[in-house]
């Protein structure tokens, strides 16, 4: 018995205890905890522990986990030189993908796939990737990399390494909320990619590298950059209507809207919407929020009946801009967070693995005679 579903829509391809999505009612839970609860009460470190252990840590466990993560912030020797060798006009997502792949060469046992080894590799990758993004961005600006500060948490340390100044508490918290809300999301395309790769018993680095490649596509995590470009193309709130309707006439998509699973507003968009408004007001970017809000209202009127609502990328664009991030760092930010989810799924897959190997409907010809090259 075979079933064909273009884009694998409606196909259940794995079981997970990590995150749950109810697309009809707009619910997302990590290990049963609603995303809104985590966004308002948790930290990124605690959320990672939750995703990797399927329970919240005790005080002692969280302290130990955080200490362990911070102790790993420093990149392996030789990595900074590799980052510096990247062309300064390369896209950060290509650099990140390449450098995560390169990390495997510094691991004496890159192919070890016990659950314990996979967790260890995941913690290293999580600790190192902020340094990769920050060092590359500084390098292309002609600035020396900033060494990580182990007294700082994940979010604060990243912003510090990027800007060489200690971020404000408000910026740290905003960034942490972004990291929490982007950390996992069922069997999305990049997570599926990671699970497919590890199902061959390949290795953690290959799985995360492949997932980064998937995430950067404009139909997936790359949409946050598309949203920002759109907001920049709209001069004022008054122009939003003509802009959106023009896109519909040309049959173009509005980035940051629509989702394979959600047919209601993505709960992450709800969380990020209030964060974006607050940050936009605080940083003199209210126009970005106002334009976004206007687009949402037009989309609501035009396509909500088709189940097209804002997704996570819509308000994350304004949020990242207000945090002071350059446009081409938006998708890398998504990746820094989603590494938590990818790694959790890799560990879960390793715990009960079966090779992914779907079939394909062959639609080409049969029994075609071979024509020698001189006769073609
Ligand atoms: N703008 C306008 N119309 C849209 C949009 C959109 N953003 N998204 C879907 N539609 C329409 C399609 O044109 C199609 O209409 P039709 O049936 O009249 O032809 C219908 O909705 C269904 O679209 P599909 O592409 O079949 O839906 P699918 O589930 O395959 O796509 C996707 C989901 C790729 C996310 C899509 O909604 C999209 O392209 N959105 C814009 C890109 C984006 O924001 N991606 C981020 C998703 S969240 C994430 O990955 C982190």
């Amino acid at each position: 018995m075979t079933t064909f579903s273009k884009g694998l829509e409606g196909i259940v391809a794995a079981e997970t205890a990590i995150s749950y999505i109810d697309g009809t009612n707009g619910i997302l839970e990590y290990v049963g905890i609603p995303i809104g609860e985590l966004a308002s009460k948790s930290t990124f470190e605690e959320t990672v522990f939750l995703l990797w252990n399927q329970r919240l840590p005790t005080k002692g466990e969280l302290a130990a986990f955080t200490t362990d993560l911070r102790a790993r912030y420093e990149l392996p020797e030789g990595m900074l030189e590799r980052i510096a060798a990247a062309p300064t006009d390369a896209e950060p997502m290509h650099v990140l993908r390449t450098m995560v792949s390169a990390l495997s060469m510094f691991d004496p046992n890159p192919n070890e796939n016990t659950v314990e080894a996979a967790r260890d590799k995941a913690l290293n990758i999580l600790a190192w990737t902020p340094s990769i993004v920050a060092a590359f961005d500084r390098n292309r600006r002609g600035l020396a990399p900033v060494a990580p500060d182990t007294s700082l948490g994940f979010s604060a340390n990243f912003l510090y390494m990027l800007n060489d100044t200690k971020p404000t508490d408000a910026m740290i918290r905003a960034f942490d909320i972004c990291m929490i809300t982007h950390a996992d999301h069922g069997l999305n395309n990049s997570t599926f990619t990671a699970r497919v790769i590890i199902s061959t018993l390949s290795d953690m680095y290959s799985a995360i590298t492949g997932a980064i490649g998937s995430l950067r596509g404009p139909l997936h995590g790359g949409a946050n950059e598309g949203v920002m470009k759109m907001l920049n193309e709209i001069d004022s709130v008054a122009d939003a209507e003509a802009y959106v309707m023009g896109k519909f006439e040309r049959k173009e998509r509005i980035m940051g809207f629509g989702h394979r699973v959600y047919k209601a507003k993505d709960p992450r968009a709800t969380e990020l919407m209030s964060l974006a408004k607050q940050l936009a007001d605080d940083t003199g970017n209210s126009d970005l929020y106002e334009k976004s809000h206007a687009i949402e209202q037009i989309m609501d009127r035009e396509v909500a009946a088709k189940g097209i609502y804002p997704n996570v990328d819509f308000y994350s664009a304004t949020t990242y801009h207000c945090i002071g991030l350059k446009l081409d760092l938006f998708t890398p930010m998504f990746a820094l967070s989603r590494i938590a989810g990818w790694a959790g799924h890799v560990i879960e897959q390793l715990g009960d693995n079966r090779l992914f190997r779907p079939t394909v409907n062959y639609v080409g010809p049969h029994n075609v005679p071979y024509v020698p090259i001189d006769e073609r």
Side-chain angles (χ1 to χ4, degrees), residues 16-314:
T16 186
I18 300 177
S19 62
Y20 166 77
I21 307 168
D22 175 345
T24 310
N25 297 303
I27 293 169
L28 169 63
E29 295 169 345
Y30 292 170
V31 198
I33 305 177
I35 192 66
E37 285 277 291
L38 292 165
S40 60
K41 296 176 186 162
S42 187
T43 60
F44 182 54
E45 284 86 340
E46 185 183 56
T47 298
V48 177
F49 185 100
L50 172 70
L51 296 176
W52 291 1
N53 296 278
Q54 276 111 64
R55 63 176 177 82
L56 287 170
T58 62
K59 250 188 206 170
E61 285 171 332
L62 181 58
F65 183 75
T66 303
T67 305
D68 195 4
L69 179 70
R70 291 181 187 193
R72 297 167 189 244
Y73 279 170
E74 190 126 344
L75 281 167
E77 220 183 305
M79 277 302 293
L80 281 176
E81 289 76 3
R82 279 181 168 73
I83 296 164
T88 50
D89 61 351
E91 284 177 35
M93 275 303 272
H94 289 298
V95 175
L96 180 63
R97 190 197 57 237
T98 305
M99 294 304 153
V100 168
S101 183
L103 287 173
S104 63
M105 301 186 293
F106 297 88
D107 185 332
N109 299 305
N111 306 331
E112 232 185 324
N113 276 332
T114 61
V115 167
E116 209 173 71
R119 275 168 187 266
D120 189 61
K121 291 173 201 315
L123 201 58
N124 278 338
I125 297 172
L126 190 75
W128 287 331
T129 39
S131 292
I132 292 172
V133 177
F136 172 69
D137 183 63
R138 290 185 68 79
N139 190 54
R140 66 181 176 168
R141 286 187 276 148
L143 301 169
V146 172
D149 182 339
T150 53
S151 73
L152 300 175
F154 182 92
S155 296
N157 179 53
F158 171 70
L159 293 172
Y160 166 65
M161 289 191 296
L162 192 68
N163 301 319
D164 198 15
T165 48
K166 297 270 162 75
T168 63
D169 287 347
M171 286 303 166
I172 297 168
R173 186 61 199 148
F175 194 80
D176 223 41
I177 292 172
C178 289
M179 293 296 104
I180 294 167
T181 48
H182 286 78
D184 194 51
H185 204 239
L187 200 61
N188 59 85
N189 192 292
S190 53
T191 301
F192 184 47
T193 302
R195 289 188 82 128
V196 167
I197 292 174
I198 203 64
S199 81
T200 68
L201 299 183
S202 178
D203 65 283
M204 179 67 83
Y205 300 96
S206 298
I208 303 289
T209 301
I212 294 172
S214 153
L215 185 75
R216 65 166 294 277
L219 297 186
H220 191 11
N224 54 16
E225 295 180 17
V227 172
M228 196 66 219
K229 284 180 195 148
M230 170 172 73
L231 294 176
N232 287 335
E233 281 167 11
I234 300 173
D235 289 334
S236 69
V237 173
D239 298 324
E241 173 87 22
Y243 182 92
V244 172
M245 296 316 288
K247 284 246 179 212
F248 279 137
E249 270 159 37
R250 296 190 299 278
K251 303 234 174 296
E252 291 170 11
R253 291 185 177 213
I254 310 295
M255 291 292 114
F257 281 82
H259 199 277
R260 177 63 63 78
V261 181
Y262 289 119
K263 299 304 164 205
K265 188 165 174 176
D266 183 333
R268 302 167 299 174
T270 308
E271 292 302 321
L272 293 173
M273 180 175 143
S274 49
L275 183 64
K277 177 162 179 28
Q278 181 68 50
L279 283 178
D281 288 346
D282 293 350
T283 58
N285 286 298
S286 301
D287 63 312
L288 283 181
Y289 177 81
E290 300 303 336
K291 281 189 265 184
S292 305
H293 190 55
I295 295 169
E296 188 179 347
Q297 284 180 318
I298 299 161
M299 291 296 279
D300 216 31
R301 186 191 71 211
E302 294 293 324
V303 288
K306 284 172 76 180
I308 299 172
Y309 289 92
N311 58 49
V312 68
D313 291 316
F314 190 58

